[in-house]
C-alpha cells in the first residue's frame, strides 16, 4: 500500500490550496484517512481526519477554515484549505489508518511522503 500526496505549494496569506492523497495497492478497506502536519522545530500534529462513514475530527486551529473530504471508491482523501495563515506553513502528511489489504491479515497504518505548504507574502 502506498500513499501519494499532491497539491502543496506557495500561497499568500488568506489564500487557498487543495491537497489530495491517493492510496494504492491491494486495498480492501480503509477505516480512517487524514492529514497531519509538521512545522520546523515542532511535533507532528493532527489537522483533520475522516472515517469511511464520513465522521470528521478537526484540530481547533483549522476549524472553519479547512475541510476534509473523501472518495471511498478511489481511496482518496482531500483537504481544502482556505483563509491560510503563515502559521499553517508546514509539511503536510496524509495518513491511512486501519488499512486492510489483500496481501496481509493485519490492519496497518500508512503514511504518505509529505507535501510542503508555505504561506507567505
Amino acid at each position: 500500500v502506498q500513499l501519494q500526496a499532491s497539491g502543496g505549494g506557495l500561497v499568500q496569506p488568506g489564500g487557498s490550496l487543495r491537497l489530495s492523497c491517493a492510496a494504492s495497492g491491494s486495498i480492501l478497506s480503509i477505516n480512517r484517512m487524514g492529514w497531519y502536519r509538521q512545522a520546523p522545530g515542532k511535533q507532528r500534529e493532527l489537522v483533520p481526519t475522516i472515517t469511511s462513514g464520513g465522521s470528521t475530527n478537526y484540530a481547533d486551529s483549522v476549524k472553519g477554515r479547512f475541510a476534509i473530504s473523501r472518495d471511498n471508491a478511489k481511496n482518496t482523501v482531500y483537504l481544502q484549505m482556505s483563509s491560510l495563515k503563515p502559521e499553517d506553513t508546514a509539511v503536510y502528511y496524509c495518513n491511512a489508518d486501519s488499512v486492510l489489504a489483500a496481501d496481509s491479515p493485519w490492519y496497518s497504518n500508512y503514511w504518505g511522503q509529505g507535501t510542503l505548504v508555505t504561506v507567505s507574502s
Side-chain angles (χ1 to χ4, degrees):
V1 175
Q2 292 185 330
L3 301 182
Q4 181 67 47
S6 61
L10 174 64
V11 63
Q12 291 187 342
S16 299
L17 274 179
R18 188 186 193 222
L19 305 182
S20 300
C21 177
S24 61
S26 55
I27 298 169
L28 299 177
S29 64
I30 304 175
N31 180 26
R32 181 178 291 105
M33 300 186 78
W35 295 92
Y36 293 73
R37 67 186 181 186
Q38 187 166 18
K42 295 187 176 182
Q43 290 188 333
R44 190 173 296 188
E45 62 177 2
L46 178 148
V47 185
T49 61
I50 184 169
T51 68
S52 57
S55 295
T56 58
N57 181 34
Y58 286 87
D60 288 342
S61 60
V62 305
K63 284 180 180 177
R65 300 188 299 121
F66 291 11
I68 189 170
S69 60
R70 176 174 171 173
D71 186 332
N72 289 329
K74 296 181 179 180
N75 290 322
T76 299
V77 63
Y78 306 95
L79 183 64
Q80 179 66 48
M81 303 184 292
S82 303
S83 301
L84 282 161
K85 305 175 181 180
E87 51 263 43
D88 294 317
T89 295
V91 177
Y92 284 69
Y93 297 91
C94 64
N95 177 266
D97 188 41
S98 298
V99 179
L100 186 62
D103 55 357
S104 173
W106 312 109
Y107 287 91
S108 300
N109 185 284
Y110 296 92
W111 290 92
Q113 84 283 10
T115 184
L116 178 62
V117 172
T118 303
V119 184
S120 175
S121 55

